[in-house]
């Protein structure tokens, strides 16, 4: 995967596309000046760029977003797995009623009685009718740097089997069901290759701004700031794009 010239590893600037570097380099001084003026005005609660109809800083962000859609990026999915082999065979599937039901079925092996299974299923049925599920279904959520997999929100995903959605579905009965979700599977980080074009426009634009600002900071000798971001892709990540699965230490 490291020899893939279409794969961006966000933390490794040597993998950033040359066409992006070449686009920014000739205008780095002017772009930097506009950004500094914008940042200064923002401290006063104003926007300097809102009065500039043809800002090169804004244009650069938009152009980089267009370019990035032709590339893939290395991303990380934090989860808790029962069988890593299934991910290597099937890849990462978007959230759906089917994936939630499969998670509930795995949990059912630990239930004390059939009645508990019916209770959990009713909670799931109620959840999928709500807005939270509608806003998340059909998506795979990913972090863009390995450093983020060591942060609290990612570790939270590894603590409970089934991800946030299954937990949200069972939230009303969490005292009964959450302990079971902690017993299932093992925490893991799945590194994979995802197409940037499969993310939302706003996320691609945020990634473009993040990379542009990093290039400007580097050109001006400013201290490097952490590179962090997220993508939610609207398609499955095929097994051929799974780079590796790193099983983590079990939580106490």
């Amino acid at each position: 995967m490291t020899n893939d010239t279409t794969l961006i590893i966000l933390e490794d600037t040597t993998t950033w596309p040359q066409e992006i570097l070449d686009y920014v380099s000739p205008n780095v001084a002017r772009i930097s000046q506009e950004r500094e003026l914008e940042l200064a005005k923002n401290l006063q609660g104003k926007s300097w760029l809102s009065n500039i109809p043809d800002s090169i800083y804004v244009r650069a962000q938009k152009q980089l977003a267009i370019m990035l859609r032709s590339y893939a990026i290395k991303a990380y999915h934090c989860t808790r797995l029962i069988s890593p082999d299934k991910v290597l065979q099937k890849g990462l599937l978007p959230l759906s009623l089917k994936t939630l039901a499969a998670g509930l079925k795995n949990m059912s092996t630990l239930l004390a009685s059939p009645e508990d299974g019916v209770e959990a299923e009713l909670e799931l049925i109620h959840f999928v009718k709500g807005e939270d599920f509608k806003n998340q279904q059909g998506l795979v959520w990913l972090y863009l740097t390995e450093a983020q997999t060591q942060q609290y929100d990612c570790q939270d995903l590894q603590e409970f089997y089934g991800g946030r959605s299954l937990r949200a579905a069972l939230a009303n009965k969490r005292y009964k069901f959450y302990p079971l979700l902690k017993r299932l599977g093992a925490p893991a980080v799945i590194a994979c290759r995802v197409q940037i074009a499969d993310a939302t426009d706003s996320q691609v634009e945020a990634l473009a701004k993040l990379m542009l600002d990093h290039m400007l900071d580097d050109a001006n000798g400013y201290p490097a700031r952490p590179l962090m971001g997220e993508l939610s892709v609207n398609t499955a990540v095929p097994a051929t794009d799974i780079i590796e699965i790193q099983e983590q230490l079990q939580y106490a």
Side-chain angles (χ1 to χ4, degrees):
M1 298 299 294
T2 54
N3 293 325
D4 184 350
T5 57
T6 65
L7 180 69
I8 297 170
I9 301 173
L10 193 57
E11 292 165 301
D12 181 2
T13 56
T14 65
T15 67
W16 290 18
Q18 189 61 44
E19 65 169 328
I20 285 178
L21 302 177
D22 290 343
Y23 178 84
V24 174
S25 182
N27 297 303
V28 69
R30 185 178 165 194
I31 298 172
S32 297
Q33 183 181 39
E34 284 198 1
R35 184 185 67 156
E36 294 303 320
L37 288 168
E38 174 67 0
L39 291 173
K41 287 294 183 182
N42 279 342
L43 293 176
Q44 302 171 27
K46 303 174 182 178
S47 173
W48 181 77
L49 290 178
S50 64
N51 298 318
I52 306 299
D54 196 29
S55 163
I56 190 172
Y57 180 48
V58 173
R59 286 208 320 270
Q61 292 174 46
K62 292 179 178 178
Q63 183 59 35
L64 263 56
I66 292 171
M67 293 176 176
L68 285 171
R69 289 183 173 89
S70 300
Y71 293 88
I73 193 165
K74 186 177 183 181
Y76 303 85
H77 182 73
C78 300
T79 187
R80 194 174 178 93
L81 299 173
I82 292 179
S83 175
D85 289 343
K86 286 188 177 180
V87 176
L88 294 173
Q89 294 166 6
K90 298 183 178 180
L92 285 174
L93 302 178
L95 176 66
S96 66
L97 177 57
K98 183 178 180 180
T99 57
L100 276 180
L104 198 63
K105 182 179 179 181
N106 286 331
M107 190 187 74
S108 67
T109 60
L110 300 177
L111 295 176
S113 67
E115 290 76 16
D116 286 345
V118 173
E119 185 177 3
E121 188 172 346
L122 289 174
E123 292 296 315
L124 182 63
I125 291 172
H126 176 73
F127 173 72
V128 298
K129 294 179 181 178
E131 288 300 316
D132 286 345
F133 174 71
K134 292 177 183 177
N135 292 334
Q136 296 176 45
Q137 67 176 327
L139 300 174
V140 179
W141 284 88
L142 305 132
Y143 296 101
L144 293 183
T145 63
E146 190 168 8
Q148 290 172 267
T149 68
Q150 303 303 314
Q151 294 185 338
Y152 175 79
D153 54 347
C154 186
Q155 291 178 359
D156 186 46
L157 290 171
Q158 299 173 69
E159 189 174 0
F160 295 89
Y161 171 74
R164 288 195 178 108
S165 294
L166 184 58
R167 224 179 327 146
L170 301 174
N172 290 332
K173 304 294 175 64
R174 56 188 174 277
Y175 298 110
K176 176 182 287 188
F177 296 125
Y178 280 14
L180 303 182
L181 296 180
K182 280 193 172 187
R183 290 169 54 190
L184 276 174
V189 174
I190 302 169
C192 55
R193 181 185 196 277
V194 296
Q195 297 297 324
I196 295 174
D198 290 335
T200 65
D201 288 344
S202 62
Q203 288 175 334
V204 178
E205 291 163 4
L207 175 59
K209 185 179 185 304
L210 178 69
M211 294 174 69
L212 176 60
D213 285 344
H214 184 84
M215 286 186 279
L216 297 178
D217 285 344
D218 184 63
N220 289 290
Y222 297 153
R225 287 176 285 186
L227 285 163
M228 294 185 178
E230 296 182 40
L231 290 183
S232 54
V233 295
N234 57 15
T235 184
V237 179
T240 52
D241 284 340
I242 302 298
I243 299 174
E244 65 175 331
I245 299 176
Q246 306 168 5
E247 292 192 42
Q248 308 294 298
L249 294 175
Q250 289 278 6
Y251 296 107

